[in-house]
Amino acid sequence: MKNLTTTLLYIIKDGKVLLGEKKRGFGQGYLNGFGGKQQEGETIEECMVRETMEEIGVKPIGLEMRAIINFDLYYKGEKEKEKTYVFVASGYEGEIRESEEMKPVWFELQSLPYDKMFSDDIYWLPSLLEGKTFTADIKMDENFKTTHFDINYNVNFD
């Protein structure tokens, strides 16, 4: 079983959130935040910035870590555990662009397309967008369907 450390970022600006339509690899066809796997020697923040720059060409600013989610899921048929550090940013430097991996799209905070997102997002993303901090444990089956969800709001990341 693989154990991975990953990041996830949501840029929130002017009542909207930037999501990316995944064009290849893990999560292809789904809308999600931006991020990926931590590389050796890299801090969580460095990973999140690098992945965002690779995926949409901008450097996030006004960063705040809001959640740590422990995923128990399958990737390419193999069991995998992911510890995901979830950030929000209030802005960015540079110009947003589409990459080979992601197509960025802005959405109103009140009308997110949860039917085009991973099944677990509806359980925790509203809390994140409301400014709450939390940890969560999520289990997903081979088809990315949520089979278990538990959230804890009694956390402080400072």
Side-chain angles (χ1 to χ4, degrees), residues 14-98:
D14 302 324
K16 295 182 179 181
V17 62
L18 186 63
L19 300 176
E21 180 182 338
K22 192 75 179 322
K23 295 165 56 177
R24 66 177 189 201
F26 181 77
Q28 182 175 352
Y30 287 90
L31 288 166
N32 202 1
F34 306 96
K37 298 177 202 139
Q38 182 182 28
Q39 295 178 352
E40 192 172 325
E42 186 175 56
T43 68
I44 287 298
E45 290 82 4
E46 289 168 343
C47 171
M48 184 265 312
V49 169
R50 175 186 53 77
E51 286 283 350
T52 304
M53 292 181 75
E54 287 175 4
E55 291 178 353
I56 58 170
V58 298
K59 180 180 180 183
I61 57 173
L63 293 169
E64 184 181 342
M65 190 175 81
R66 292 250 181 97
I68 297 174
I69 302 176
N70 296 298
F71 287 99
D72 188 342
L73 48 78
Y74 289 84
Y75 178 60
K76 295 183 179 179
E78 291 189 34
K79 202 84 160 116
E80 189 171 280
K81 289 192 180 281
E82 285 186 23
K83 184 173 190 172
T84 302
Y85 293 82
V86 187
F87 293 83
V88 296
S90 59
Y92 55 90
E93 294 174 349
E95 189 171 325
I96 295 171
R97 62 157 172 75
E98 183 173 343

Side-chain angles (χ1 to χ4, degrees), residues 7 9 65 69 91-92 104 124 128:
T7 62
L9 170 75
M65 190 175 81
I69 302 176
Y92 55 90
W124 61 267
L128 184 93

Side-chain angles (χ1 to χ4, degrees), residues 85-134:
Y85 293 82
V86 187
F87 293 83
V88 296
S90 59
Y92 55 90
E93 294 174 349
E95 189 171 325
I96 295 171
R97 62 157 172 75
E98 183 173 343
S99 67
E100 291 180 10
E101 190 173 352
M102 294 287 252
K103 178 182 178 183
V105 184
W106 288 100
F107 290 93
E108 296 288 334
L109 288 171
Q110 279 67 39
S111 58
L112 295 181
Y114 286 107
D115 60 325
K116 295 178 180 165
M117 300 168 77
F118 284 104
S119 66
D120 63 294
D121 289 357
I122 197 159
Y123 296 110
W124 61 267
L125 189 54
S127 293
L128 184 93
L129 298 175
E130 290 169 8
K132 295 178 181 171
T133 57
F134 57 89

